[in-house]
Amino acid sequence: MFAQAMQHRLVSLVMTADDLLIRRAEKADADEVFALAREFGLTFRPEREAFDAALPELLANEDALLLTAVVNGRVHGYLLGFVHLTLFANGPVAWVEEAMVQSGLRRQGLGRALLEEFEQWARSRKAGYVAMATRRAPEFYHALGYEASATFFRKVLR
């Protein structure tokens, strides 16, 4: 009962678009972003030491964008993406590496707002397209104009 009441309280936090702020992540967001990254991780379990080493580098990397979805001063979602040069696309493309919204706050517009902000940044960097590898939430991505394009292969090196 408490969890259900808490989830209802969290959902009510994002009832208006005015309550949502999409902004670049800051070092002070580390604890909240780390908690979300731990919820995101399936194959790998994020470790704090590695996270703390990577965060300042990502924040300083001009080809990376780490966005946060902030509601009432708290981070409830994040998106990490990159722009990189290609040969086949005649220039840069953008890649979403991680996109995560707190489980109790999904379907409230946070993910859409994060992705739309990333798309604007990618356009400003002259990216030819935005892509990501995911099996989660295909309806969400289709609704935003994304289409299935390729099969994803990977090999874990650890």
Side-chain angles (χ1 to χ4, degrees):
M1 185 72 161
F2 173 77
Q4 189 176 29
M6 190 60 150
Q7 184 175 9
H8 176 70
R9 182 174 114 32
L10 288 174
V11 170
S12 68
L13 290 176
V14 285
M15 293 307 289
T16 69
D18 294 336
D19 295 331
L20 175 60
L21 171 65
I22 302 298
R23 63 164 171 76
R24 286 180 177 264
E26 302 167 353
K27 193 171 182 179
D29 299 324
D31 290 340
E32 292 171 318
V33 173
F34 180 70
L36 289 166
R38 288 185 64 100
E39 188 176 335
F40 176 86
L42 295 175
T43 302
F44 296 98
R45 184 76 175 154
E47 297 172 2
R48 190 60 195 244
E49 186 175 324
F51 177 92
D52 287 342
L55 184 63
E57 289 187 40
L58 289 169
L59 295 176
N61 184 341
E62 291 182 13
D63 293 325
L65 181 62
L66 179 57
L67 293 170
T68 56
V70 180
V71 180
N72 294 338
R74 300 222 18 180
V75 175
H76 292 288
Y78 78 91
L79 183 147
L80 172 61
F82 300 87
V83 167
H84 64 272
L85 284 174
T86 65
L87 299 174
F88 76 95
N90 300 310
V93 299
W95 185 262
V96 174
E97 191 66 41
E98 301 173 32
M100 180 65 187
V101 172
Q102 187 177 355
S103 60
L105 290 172
R106 294 185 186 137
R107 299 185 178 269
Q108 301 294 316
L110 281 74
R112 174 184 290 271
L114 285 165
L115 201 48
E116 288 173 350
E117 184 70 22
F118 182 74
E119 289 170 2
Q120 284 186 329
W121 177 76
R123 276 188 199 95
S124 77
R125 303 288 309 270
K126 309 290 189 232
Y129 65 80
V130 172
M132 73 219 47
T134 185
R135 284 183 241 163
R136 297 179 183 180
E139 312 83 23
F140 168 74
Y141 293 106
H142 287 299
L144 292 176
Y146 287 81
E147 59 188 17
S149 177
T151 301
F152 180 68
F153 293 93
R154 77 168 183 189
K155 182 177 183 178
V156 176
L157 300 177
R158 293 187 210 176

